[in-house]
Amino acid sequence: MANAARKRATYEDLLALPENVVGEIIGGELFAQPRPAIPHAVAASHLGAELVGPFNRGKGGPGGWVILDEPELHLQGGNVLVPDLAGWRRERMPQIPELPAIELPPDWVCEVLSPSTEAKDRVDKMAVYRREGCQHVWLVQPASMTLEVYRLDGETYRLVNTWKGDAQIRAEPFDAVALDLGALWAR
């Protein structure tokens, strides 16, 4: 007997998940994983803090962005993604929607990698971000204390740079202000 075709996941499937997991739908498949470990949370929280002041609020930087922690993105093809951080240029999102999810693709996303999510983040989610025209993807790896910055170049992402450790960096699209990479690592 042949394998039955797998049922496409629905938003109702996401809503049925326990509260202690993060659920996403990518290419019709439901992915669920426990809340991230502390080093993951530290990296995402501290990176958000580094960016929100100068870019979201314009304190010590140019402003012009809306940056959100773990927004729920409802994208084409029924994809529901929850990046660790996402940002929209103000001219594309002049007001933050008063909805539980955002349908406007972000201009920038950051995924904090963990052993259980790295392949999904690098392959599946980056493919969705590419199709949606997200201009920049940052991949943060707390275990190796690295940041990889990718820029959309036509139909593919091009690696712009990789930094490691405690460097002071200027990483696009936020290169107007130096960021303290060392602030991201739980120590």
Side-chain angles (χ1 to χ4, degrees), residues 169-183:
I169 66 168
R170 290 185 180 268
E172 61 181 66
F174 303 111
D175 49 352
V177 173
L179 301 175
D180 177 13
L181 192 59

Side-chain angles (χ1 to χ4, degrees), residues 61-122:
W65 285 81
V66 173
I67 299 172
L68 301 174
D69 294 335
E70 296 186 349
E72 185 174 301
L73 307 176
H74 288 210
L75 304 173
Q76 293 180 18
N79 291 296
V80 178
L81 280 64
V82 182
D84 292 293
L85 294 161
W88 294 259
R89 294 185 185 276
R90 274 271 180 214
E91 60 264 17
R92 291 190 58 240
M93 184 187 281
Q95 290 191 312
I96 297 172
E98 294 188 30
L99 301 168
I102 298 173
E103 294 180 358
L104 180 67
D107 296 297
W108 165 82
V109 295
C110 177
E111 296 289 354
V112 179
L113 305 177
S114 62
S116 63
T117 66
E118 183 170 2
K120 175 183 57 128
D121 291 341
R122 283 188 181 279

Side-chain angles (χ1 to χ4, degrees), residues 51-65 90:
L51 296 175
V52 165
F55 294 98
N56 199 74
R57 297 182 16 220
K59 291 189 172 194
W65 285 81
R90 274 271 180 214

Side-chain angles (χ1 to χ4, degrees), residues 7 19 60 65 73 84 114 120 125 150 157 163 174 182 185 187:
K7 176 188 159 240
E19 287 187 30
W65 285 81
L73 307 176
D84 292 293
S114 62
K120 175 183 57 128
K125 290 176 82 171
Y150 293 87
Y157 280 113
W163 290 275
F174 303 111
W185 319 129
R187 296 183 195 164

Side-chain angles (χ1 to χ4, degrees), residues 18-40:
E19 287 187 30
N20 65 331
V21 300
V22 176
E24 298 177 297
I25 299 173
I26 305 170
E29 186 175 349
L30 178 65
F31 291 86
Q33 64 264 352
R35 300 293 308 161
I38 297 303
H40 180 121

Side-chain angles (χ1 to χ4, degrees), residues 4-26:
R6 195 178 259 182
K7 176 188 159 240
R8 283 187 66 83
T10 65
Y11 194 68
E12 288 71 32
D13 296 326
L14 278 180
L15 295 176
L17 292 172
E19 287 187 30
N20 65 331
V21 300
V22 176
E24 298 177 297
I25 299 173
I26 305 170

